Amino acid sequence: MDFAKLPSPLQAKLAKIGIARPFDLVLHLPMRYEDETHLYAIADAPLGAGVLIEGEVLSCEVNYKPRKQLVARVKDASSSVMVRLMNFYPSQAQQLAVGKRVRLYGEIRRGYFGPEMVHPKIRVGGEVSLQEALSPVYPTTAGLSQNQLATLIAKALKAEPLPDTLPASLLDELNLPDFASSVKLLHTPTPDIPQILLTARTHPAWQRLKFDELLAQQLSLRLARAVRREKTAPQIKPDGRLAAQLVANLPFGLTGAQKRVLLEICQDLTQTHPMQRLLQGDVGAGKTIVAAVAACHAIEAGFQVAMLAPTEILAEQHYQKLSQWLAPLGVNVIWLAGSLKTKAKREALAAAADGSGQLLVGTHAIFQASVELKNLGLAIVDEQHRFGVAQRLALREKGGSPHQLMMSATPIPRTLAMSFYADLDVSVIDELPPGRTPIVTKLISDARRDEIIERIAAKVLEGRQVYWVCPLIEESETLQLQTAVDTHAQLSEELEGIRVGLLHGRMKADEKAATMAAFSRNEIQVLVATTVIEVGVDVPNASLMVIEHAERMGLSQLHQLRGRVGRGAHASLCILLYTGPLGDTAKARLKVIYEHTDGFEIARQDLQIRGPGELAGVKQSGVPMLRFADLEADADLLEVARETAEQILAHNPQLAQPHLDRWLPGREALLKV
Ligand code: ADP
Ligand code: MG
């Protein structure tokens, strides 16, 4: 089949659903099947599954209340069913004319007037033979019909060679069927195959396809890692005096977990290939000090260090903290943000370029084209999941191949880490600093707002501080801003004599910084904020957080927000305000956040409720998305794919490329990220 010969509007539609070459048609597998191989008697047809029935139209009329719809009754020897069409063509009304025999395919549900079928497929009944195979239903797009797609796919299945990318011996060992028969079976399954094996995707043919997909992902990640190991990075072997001084000056000792991850990081820094390590630690686990110690090593060895944060608020906080820790040791810490005034910016840039700036802190503006670094040895990226592929690429290009330490407080479940981050080494801080009192979480209906205002006043009287987080309004940033401004005005009025501050994304960077600094110094007691404070903000004296419309936020986001309190020794409380009535999903999610404080567990449950595609950062991670395999459900297959990828690269590396060409064509650029 020659793709170029297809009419270009058709090509465009195919491209929309990810089909850019004939082989993509082969891999465009049905999302489900319709079983028109069997006629059910209406009385015996199971509810809630697609069924084919046949009968005679008893009545057919158009109703106008509650809105225009076509309602017909169809009867067979066993029973009858109501048919309802909300939008219909005159031709459909004719198909359902009284006395006609019709064949209907759809789900029977229990309706108000007994069993009903809404929008079934309608065909002429009578002496028409049944289908011999299940009918595939493909994911498609507007203007591309199932029939068109099925025809193209059938052609491709005939025309395309379908050689196996894996040797028979390996398939035997893994107990998997061959590729060609697997794809053919999935496109045109015979009626003897129990449909449940197909819909649940547990049939060996599905296993094979999912395995292939996972294997391609594992191979590409491993190859990317190998490419990275061939690059040379500066060996950082200081005697550790600077770091020792830093630690000695701290008002606290490092936890066991912090010491352990530091050993892992320092070991990487002594290597000649660039470190690419992901430092995971729940909110408040103390990742910043770990970064600071690592920075000391690189600086002592004569290299520059860059510390990047996703928002200016967070970068500014890091700058404050790191200056406070490192300036007394004689380290030149430079603030490099996009919003700097011309003169300050020129000076900062000069310090970056001549190497006198030893630790550069800022947002990714640091890595814009105008910034030159003399000898970058270590790049630290905080809240790594918030950076997209483009920024990671820029980082690479800027500093040659510096060591990279990425930090994330959105814990990644094991299966996801194994899959999406397989080219990274992972260190985990699995212990919180001692002396923290656990955060108590309460779910309160917003009808009880008055009580909360009283509670805030009491907290402030005790000397504590409060965050009030305004709802996320995804549809409109303006509306979100307005809500924050209104809430600020209202709380200022309700909390007489208490200083209430406001922080939102549209404020100028220096205004934001000034507000944050005032809050840190307890000059502001209640901070009304949009979710801009989600990441990294650290004010230990804040011990009460109120989150409005918590039901609108994601679980990881709530966990991050909640992590802004409970950072000091005071008992902390997080109040999740919700507006009832809540739907089932919203209830399930709030229950998770109410019951769990462990970020790893929350992330796991989040993954279950929302699916991995929605997990922060995964979409932009640049790692191939999975179409068929499911990380949770197919964790076992993933494990096998991982081992197999390792085996193949060690013993049969020539197998890798053909497999990658089949599954991940044209991904070379991303693989280098
Ligand atoms: P995160 O991992 O969320 O970035 P931070 O680095 O902001 O956490 O640390 C949270 C708070 O805990 C900070 O105030 C920090 O100074 C403090 N901290 C870090 N390590 C320790 C420790 N070992 N003992 C006590 N407090 C610590
Ligand atoms: Mg942090």
Side-chain angles (χ1 to χ4, degrees):
M1 178 191 293
D2 190 353
F3 227 61
K5 287 204 185 118
L6 295 177
S8 62
L10 179 59
Q11 281 187 39
K13 279 176 206 149
L14 289 171
K16 247 194 187 160
I17 50 173
I19 299 175
R21 46 169 199 160
F23 205 85
D24 292 336
L25 286 164
V26 174
L27 295 179
H28 196 73
L29 297 176
M31 50 183 180
R32 59 189 174 84
Y33 303 87
E34 289 180 347
D35 185 356
E36 298 181 48
T37 62
H38 175 79
L39 262 185
Y40 276 96
I42 294 175
D44 302 339
L47 296 181
V51 289
L52 189 67
I53 57 171
E54 184 171 315
E56 190 186 319
V57 181
L58 277 188
S59 65
C60 178
E61 58 190 38
V62 177
N63 288 351
Y64 289 90
K65 276 182 184 163
R67 59 190 175 110
K68 190 177 170 192
Q69 51 181 297
L70 185 85
V71 182
R73 182 163 287 282
V74 173
K75 176 183 181 310
D76 71 2
S78 71
S79 181
S80 73
V81 68
M82 185 94 114
V83 176
R84 211 185 272 284
L85 302 178
M86 304 301 176
N87 301 300
F88 58 93
Y89 297 107
S91 62
Q92 287 172 309
Q94 275 160 28
Q95 279 182 305
L96 287 171
V98 175
K100 291 224 164 142
R101 271 198 90 69
V102 285
R103 200 169 272 180
L104 304 173
Y105 184 87
E107 271 182 29
I108 298 184
R109 286 184 228 146
R110 215 178 285 291
Y112 190 72
F113 300 103
E116 63 175 29
M117 250 187 184
V118 179
H119 283 274
K121 268 206 253 170
I122 307 166
R123 294 214 192 92
V124 182
E127 299 300 306
V128 190
S129 59
L130 291 168
Q131 302 274 359
E132 273 174 21
L134 294 176
S135 326
V137 180
Y138 293 105
T140 186
T141 182
L144 185 61
S145 74
Q146 285 295 332
N147 275 344
Q148 259 177 309
L149 201 49
T151 310
L152 285 169
I153 289 171
K155 266 192 206 158
L157 276 175
K158 275 215 187 83
E160 289 298 305
L162 305 173
D164 217 298
T165 50
L166 302 176
S169 57
L170 180 61
L171 293 176
D172 263 2
E173 199 181 303
L174 299 173
N175 210 1
L176 289 170
D178 72 278
F179 178 79
S181 62
S182 298
V183 276
K184 283 183 187 153
L185 184 145
L186 293 177
H187 284 293
T188 47
T190 48
D192 58 306
I193 299 170
Q195 208 185 342
I196 180 72
L197 295 186
L198 295 173
T199 45
R201 301 193 169 183
T202 47
H203 189 279
W206 265 121
Q207 295 291 102
R208 170 65 205 264
L209 271 287
K210 292 197 279 193
F211 175 80
D212 274 19
E213 180 180 45
L214 289 167
L215 180 66
Q217 187 200 47
Q218 293 299 311
L219 284 171
S220 76
L221 290 166
R222 258 150 218 281
L223 287 172
R225 186 190 172 103
V227 168
R228 168 164 64 87
R229 288 186 90 85
E230 274 164 24
K231 297 218 168 100
T232 41
Q235 268 187 301
I236 294 175
K237 290 182 167 170
D239 55 22
R241 236 178 287 166
L242 195 59
Q245 255 180 310
L246 166 64
V247 174
N249 289 350
L250 290 175
F252 51 80
L254 297 182
T255 62
Q258 285 171 319
K259 286 184 192 155
R260 178 172 44 75
V261 301
L262 270 168
L263 275 180
E264 291 164 358
I265 293 166
C266 293
Q267 174 60 29
D268 284 359
L269 293 177
T270 65
Q271 306 290 307
T272 52
H273 53 256
M275 162 170 84
Q276 220 171 18
R277 188 169 282 278
L278 178 67
L279 174 59
Q280 283 194 23
D282 206 344
V283 180
K287 294 182 289 293
T288 322
I289 185 65
V290 169
V293 172
C296 280
H297 287 303
I299 291 166
E300 193 187 344
F303 294 98
Q304 287 176 300
V305 176
M307 170 101 165
L308 279 80
T311 67
E312 210 154 312
I313 293 185
L314 185 52
E316 168 92 25
Q317 285 218 7
H318 281 327
Y319 173 66
Q320 304 288 355
K321 200 63 171 258
L322 293 167
S323 307
Q324 183 196 324
W325 281 335
L326 297 174
L329 307 179
V331 175
N332 189 14
V333 186
I334 301 281
W335 172 230
L336 219 148
S339 64
L340 278 182
K341 300 256 155 38
T342 323
K343 179 162 172 279
K345 192 180 251 169
R346 202 166 47 226
E347 285 170 9
L349 289 176
D354 69 15
S356 63
Q358 293 167 293
L359 174 56
L360 304 125
V361 186
T363 60
H364 52 81
I366 291 191
F367 288 92
Q368 273 165 7
S370 59
V371 183
E372 267 173 52
L373 294 160
K374 181 131 187 281
N375 59 344
L376 182 63
L378 170 64
I380 302 169
V381 184
D382 196 13
E383 306 300 341
Q384 177 266 346
H385 64 278
R386 303 214 140 212
F387 287 91
V389 180
Q391 279 124 15
R392 277 167 78 185
L393 272 175
L395 185 67
R396 276 289 165 81
E397 281 159 15
K398 187 56 66 181
S401 309
H403 294 287
Q404 284 190 51
L405 179 63
M406 287 151 271
M407 308 200 285
S408 173
T410 301
I412 298 152
R414 203 183 77 90
T415 49
L416 205 59
M418 234 164 79
S419 166
F420 287 91
Y421 295 95
D423 67 328
L424 302 181
D425 296 304
V426 181
S427 291
V428 184
I429 305 182
D430 52 7
E431 171 189 6
L432 289 182
R436 300 264 169 90
T437 36
I439 307 166
V440 175
T441 302
K442 291 202 166 150
L443 285 172
I444 298 184
S445 155
D446 61 4
R448 289 166 58 195
R449 195 169 178 281
D450 290 350
E451 282 170 46
I452 291 161
I453 303 294
E454 279 167 32
R455 213 188 264 259
I456 292 177
K459 270 281 172 223
V460 171
L461 215 61
E462 286 169 28
R464 300 286 85 76
Q465 287 166 276
V466 180
Y467 292 103
W468 183 290
V469 183
C470 293
L472 181 71
I473 302 173
E474 272 178 350
E475 311 83 62
S476 158
E477 205 194 332
T478 323
L479 207 58
Q480 177 161 349
L481 182 68
Q482 193 52 47
T483 311
V485 171
D486 293 347
T487 308
H488 175 250
Q490 197 181 353
L491 286 179
S492 301
E493 201 170 291
E494 288 167 329
L495 293 164
E496 233 190 298
I498 292 173
R499 268 160 315 209
V500 182
L502 175 63
L503 192 70
H504 59 71
R506 283 288 185 81
M507 282 160 68
K508 292 219 179 68
D510 51 350
E511 291 169 1
K512 278 192 234 172
T515 304
M516 234 18 252
F519 190 60
S520 297
R521 290 193 299 263
N522 199 358
E523 290 163 15
I524 289 174
Q525 282 87 43
V526 177
L527 186 63
V528 175
T530 54
T531 50
V532 292
I533 59 152
E534 180 190 339
V535 283
V537 172
D538 183 30
V539 178
N541 191 47
S543 67
L544 171 61
M545 171 172 283
V546 180
I547 304 179
E548 262 191 287
H549 278 295
E551 77 278 4
R552 290 190 197 161
M553 296 190 196
L555 286 190
S556 294
Q557 188 173 34
L558 284 172
H559 180 63
Q560 289 281 323
L561 282 168
R562 183 171 59 179
R564 300 308 116 214
V565 292
R567 310 201 130 221
H570 315 290
S572 293
L573 176 64
C574 177
I575 296 177
L576 304 177
L577 281 184
Y578 65 86
T579 308
L582 291 176
D584 285 346
T585 318
K587 257 185 219 156
R589 290 166 62 226
L590 287 178
K591 185 158 174 278
V592 169
I593 205 81
Y594 173 73
E595 284 178 352
H596 298 277
T597 51
D598 174 358
F600 281 78
E601 183 56 25
I602 290 169
R604 206 182 65 76
Q605 306 236 11
D606 201 14
L607 184 70
Q608 238 164 32
I609 299 176
R610 296 197 296 165
E614 294 298 317
L615 205 76
V618 168
K619 267 191 190 143
Q620 320 91 292
S621 70
V623 172
M625 290 298 291
L626 297 171
R627 283 187 284 166
F628 306 129
D630 174 300
L631 288 178
E632 282 284 302
D634 299 315
D636 294 349
L637 264 186
L638 173 61
E639 189 79 50
V640 181
R642 199 171 65 112
E643 282 162 20
T644 309
E646 212 171 289
Q647 291 298 321
I648 286 181
L649 292 177
H651 305 297
N652 299 87
Q654 78 287 355
L655 294 178
Q657 202 54 51
H659 191 78
L660 287 169
D661 290 344
R662 170 169 289 175
W663 282 91
L664 301 170
R667 293 201 64 100
E668 291 77 9
L670 285 178
L671 290 184
K672 296 198 183 79
V673 175

